[in-house]
Amino acid sequence: GESVGLHLPTLSVQEGDNSIINCAYSNSASDYFIWYKQESGKGPQFIIDIRSNMDKRQGQRVTVLLNKTVKHLSLQIAATQPGDSAVYFCAETLQGAQKLVFGQGTRLTINP
Amino acid sequence: KAGVTQTPRYLIKTRGQQVTLSCSPISGHRSVSWYQQTPGQGLQFLFEYFSETQRNKGNFPGRFSGRQFSNSRSEMNVSTLELGDSALYLCASRAADTQYFGPGTRLTVL
């Protein structure tokens, strides 16, 4: 069953293209950020994280950029594949804190 | 390592009833957090347990409660269910600062 909102921002990209998903976070004191991927009927899956002492972090096909000046995060997915179709959430927290604060999410759709 | 497991995966209850959801964290993880996910409010933090103690609580009414056992397994309970409690309830276990989520329990209140 569906797990997420019906009126999420949606990003549609062609298979093989690069995707950029943006997120504005709320707390200027947040110092740890995570991107999650949620497929229909599943829980959020950890993709990549970044701490506030970094501006950029790369994983396999994914890159996260952090701009603390404007409280902005982005997730770049290279060479998107059909399996990348999902809702992507950014989450912020303070290191050592127990609570994650999530963004509203972006639905990524891959066109063949 | 096995991931976070949640039971049951689906529940249907009627208004006024109560419900108990269960979560088993990743082996070795001692922190368990619960979140509610709805289309209207998104993902919202309910509470977090560590070593059987609640360390943090979100902005939910007292009808929402939880506990953690000595083996780190956790349960959450919702009493006097309301229609608005229909949601996906997610459990996450934590290693360092990273939280790993289970598949969730889909609760429908009729």
Side-chain angles (χ1 to χ4, degrees):
Chain A
E2 53 79 29
S3 306
V4 294
L6 300 175
H7 303 293
L8 293 173
T10 299
L11 174 65
S12 294
V13 299
Q14 291 296 123
E15 183 177 350
D17 286 353
N18 297 334
S19 303
I20 300 176
I21 301 171
N22 296 304
C23 173
Y25 64 91
S26 59
N27 187 353
S28 57
S30 293
D31 55 10
Y32 180 59
F33 306 87
I34 309 172
W35 279 99
Y36 287 94
K37 170 187 180 183
Q38 188 173 27
E39 296 173 279
S40 182
K42 297 183 179 180
Q45 175 190 355
F46 172 88
I47 302 174
I48 191 167
D49 59 359
I50 188 168
R51 300 191 185 276
S52 58
N53 60 351
M54 302 174 70
D55 297 322
K56 179 179 179 179
R57 189 156 190 239
Q58 289 183 293
Q60 186 176 9
R61 282 201 308 119
V62 294
T63 301
V64 56
L65 298 178
L66 174 62
N67 184 330
K68 295 181 287 294
T69 303
V70 294
K71 295 192 292 183
H72 184 267
L73 272 171
S74 67
L75 176 70
Q76 301 176 0
I77 305 173
T80 48
Q81 304 167 357
D84 295 328
S85 292
V87 177
Y88 290 81
F89 293 95
C90 65
E92 60 182 290
T93 190
L94 293 166
Q95 291 184 56
Q98 299 90 37
K99 168 184 172 180
L100 289 173
V101 176
F102 284 84
Q104 65 175 335
T106 296
R107 187 182 304 277
L108 177 65
T109 302
I110 311 302
N111 301 315
Chain B
K1 275 186 181 179
V4 177
T5 58
Q6 292 187 246
T7 57
R9 292 294 313 278
Y10 301 92
L11 266 179
I12 299 175
K13 294 285 187 180
T14 56
R15 279 180 295 175
Q17 287 187 309
Q18 75 166 13
V19 66
T20 299
L21 313 180
S22 181
C23 170
S24 293
I26 293 169
S27 177
H29 291 191
R30 294 165 62 190
S31 166
V32 173
S33 298
W34 289 88
Y35 292 80
Q36 181 196 63
Q37 186 174 30
T38 60
Q41 300 298 318
L43 280 146
Q44 293 190 292
F45 173 78
L46 279 157
F47 28 66
E48 189 261 1
Y49 287 86
F50 181 85
S51 293
E52 303 178 63
T53 301
Q54 185 182 91
R55 292 197 298 186
N56 200 349
K57 189 177 192 306
N59 188 26
F60 279 82
R63 300 185 297 106
F64 292 81
S65 63
R67 60 177 176 168
Q68 187 180 34
F69 302 94
S70 58
N71 62 358
S72 295
R73 189 177 69 86
S74 177
E75 289 180 347
M76 68 163 281
N77 183 77
V78 188
S79 63
T80 319
L81 284 165
E82 301 177 359
L83 294 178
D85 297 333
S86 293
L88 182 68
Y89 289 89
L90 292 158
C91 167
S93 73
R94 190 161 77 108
D97 291 310
T98 305
Q99 297 191 24
Y100 299 91
F101 286 83
T105 294
R106 168 72 60 188
L107 172 64
T108 302
V109 182
L110 302 176

